[in-house]
Amino acid sequence: MTRATLAATPSPSWTPDQPIVRLADVHKSFGTFEVLKGVSFDVRKGEVVCIIGPSGSGKSTLIRCVNALVPVSAGSIQVEGIEVTDPRLDKLALRRKVGMVFQQYNLFPHKTALQNVMMAPIHVLGQEKREVEARARALLAKVRLAGKENAYPGELSGGQQQRVAIARSLAMRPDVMLFDEVTAALDPETVKEVLVTIRELAEEGMTCMLVTHEMSFARDVADHIYFTDRGVIVEHGPPATFFASARDERTRRFLSQVL
Ligand SMILES: Nc1ncnc2c1ncn2[C@@H]1O[C@H](COP(=O)(O)OP(=O)(O)OP(=O)(O)O)[C@@H](O)[C@H]1O
Ligand SMILES: [Mg+2]
């Protein structure tokens, strides 16, 4: 068993009926600028949460903290009972649990779609090539890219490249997926195919934390919506309540601009 496999075992005290992600009073400052001012919420296994809010309100920072791309200044984040803010944390083990997809797909341009999906399991986890290839092919089919295995990123549309990026992330077999505005750079006609992929993942029970500006998608797919403004969660609730009867003035103003 590799070191990563060992460390990826959930904390012995964690059981799946407990929140899979738990944020407690998370603060983050860049220099003297406090971006997150005490954010707390739980995500349960299989739950889909959407984080929405104005530009600069700290959404990307928040979800980057979850896979330790950004270190928090104070507070606690646990994934399957493992403290992400622990300086002794094995980040590789954490990132096996927590996949992340960004607005920029960051595919390797000189590798085919299949090779992009296969790279991390082979080179980071040292898994066996044949097994990884079979899984990568199945994942490309799952994101509806069967037939594009040998295409290079430059030969794919933005939406297709983003689906390769999703498949690449899934190849690590994560328990939680983070999506940060993954459709923001796409042409309108390719947005939908990426949203369909995410919706299918959600329907299969993948725990998802999504930052999105796609309000109708959030309404449709989310179990719970969190609205952030200036580093705090201003308001949250299930989509039906959240969109129909936001109470806070800041939420209402934001929704009136985006709906
Ligand atoms: N590495 C960094 N160093 C300094 N300031 C940063 C850094 N990253 C983010 N910030 C600042 O933190 C604030 C929140 O940024 P963040 O990217 O989390 O916002 P956001 O809600 O994702 O915005 P958007 O909707 O535009 O993506 C912004 O004012 C940003 O300039
Ligand atoms: Mg952002």
Side-chain angles (χ1 to χ4, degrees), residues 126-259:
Q127 292 175 347
E128 205 260 318
K129 185 166 176 253
R130 275 178 55 166
E131 189 254 330
V132 171
E133 179 172 339
R135 203 162 82 226
R137 288 183 184 279
L139 283 169
L140 284 171
K142 180 184 169 69
V143 301
R144 301 177 191 209
L145 288 175
K148 295 288 187 187
E149 292 83 358
N150 297 323
Y152 288 89
E155 299 167 340
L156 297 171
S157 74
Q160 289 170 335
Q161 290 182 64
Q162 191 59 292
R163 283 180 285 148
V164 174
I166 293 172
R168 177 181 57 180
S169 208
L170 294 173
M172 298 292 272
R173 295 190 170 125
D175 294 341
V176 179
M177 285 287 287
L178 310 176
F179 296 93
D180 189 359
E181 305 222 30
V182 296
T183 60
L186 300 179
D187 297 332
E189 59 274 22
T190 61
V191 167
K192 202 172 157 205
E193 61 196 21
V194 173
L195 295 181
V196 165
T197 298
I198 298 175
R199 182 207 304 264
E200 284 173 357
L201 270 181
E203 284 170 357
E204 286 167 15
M206 176 64 79
T207 310
C208 298
M209 296 176 71
L210 294 130
V211 174
T212 183
H213 283 161
E214 298 282 337
M215 291 305 134
S216 59
F217 179 67
R219 189 197 308 249
D220 212 30
V221 81
D223 296 303
H224 210 86
I225 311 258
Y226 291 90
F227 173 72
T228 57
D229 191 23
R230 290 180 227 165
V232 295
I233 307 263
V234 172
E235 190 159 2
H236 65 95
T241 342
F242 180 86
F243 286 107
S245 48
R247 286 184 302 268
D248 192 279
E249 174 52 32
R250 284 172 287 179
T251 320
R252 287 215 294 262
R253 198 177 332 124
F254 177 79
L255 290 178
S256 73
Q257 285 160 3
V258 295
L259 287 180

